[in-house]
Amino acid sequence: MIRSYIPTDRAACLDIFDSNCPKYFDPSERAFIEQWLNAQDAGQPTYPNSSADHFYVLEKNNKVIACGGFYLLNDEHAASIAWGMVHSDEHRQGYGKELFQFRVKELQKILPGAKITLDTSQQTFGFFEKMGLTVQAVTKDGYGAGLDRYDMA
């Protein structure tokens, strides 16, 4: 089941992040996910270029095993997919695809025809290519040593 994030999901979301370090996220990014969750808890957009954030969790047997969201970009007909992750114990079972497709569907309800962007690493850009996104730019070590940033749309 996928539902909207609530503040009591915070610990589970941080556990999901931690389970994916350092392969998928640089440990220094933990401060950024905490910033995102702080804004979600306060009901405010996280970034200055965002007019609204939306964040969801995916539950299996009443346990949060994945999370992810998106934010609407100010003055653009676009949104950025953000903080999509599945607990490392639950990889390769279709949860990432389910959560991504759910977010795209929700985004299209709010902003039909919006351009979708995201950034990810060399570890996961292939997944997003399968979802129909294309690489726009690559920044070597963009997230940290050995973790390149792939900007996609």
Side-chain angles (χ1 to χ4, degrees):
M1 175 180 85
I2 299 175
R3 62 169 173 78
S4 292
Y5 167 90
I6 56 175
T8 55
D9 297 324
R10 181 187 187 92
C13 292
L14 290 172
D15 181 56
I16 293 166
F17 175 87
D18 292 340
S19 81
N20 285 288
C21 283
K23 183 174 181 179
Y24 298 101
F25 295 101
D26 187 82
S28 67
E29 293 179 88
R30 195 172 203 278
F32 299 118
I33 183 66
E34 288 176 348
Q35 176 188 9
W36 173 269
L37 294 173
N38 289 343
Q40 304 318 297
D41 293 346
Q44 301 172 340
T46 306
Y47 308 117
N49 66 333
S50 171
S51 60
D53 294 353
H54 299 268
F55 199 53
Y56 307 95
V57 297
L58 186 152
E59 290 181 323
K60 175 183 171 185
N61 299 324
N62 296 315
K63 180 182 177 192
V64 174
I65 62 159
C67 56
F70 60 86
Y71 57 97
L72 306 178
L73 297 168
N74 290 335
D75 305 321
E76 296 180 46
H77 195 73
S80 189
I81 299 288
W83 295 113
M85 54 192 147
V86 176
H87 195 284
S88 62
D89 293 343
E90 303 289 347
H91 285 182
R92 300 204 164 280
Q93 296 184 50
Y95 298 121
K97 181 178 180 180
E98 181 182 355
L99 184 59
F100 179 80
Q101 290 173 334
F102 175 87
R103 290 183 288 165
V104 169
K105 184 176 153 190
E106 291 300 302
L107 168 56
Q108 293 299 329
K109 285 181 194 173
I110 296 166
L111 199 62
K115 177 182 177 183
I116 298 173
T117 63
L118 63 81
D119 58 272
T120 192
S121 74
Q122 74 269 26
Q123 302 292 344
T124 53
F125 84 94
F127 167 82
F128 292 108
E129 282 184 326
K130 290 177 188 172
M131 297 295 107
L133 283 81
T134 58
V135 175
Q136 307 294 301
V138 178
T139 306
K140 184 160 176 53
D141 298 328
Y143 294 117
L147 208 53
D148 303 337
R149 176 181 166 143
Y150 282 63
D151 290 291
M152 303 184 76

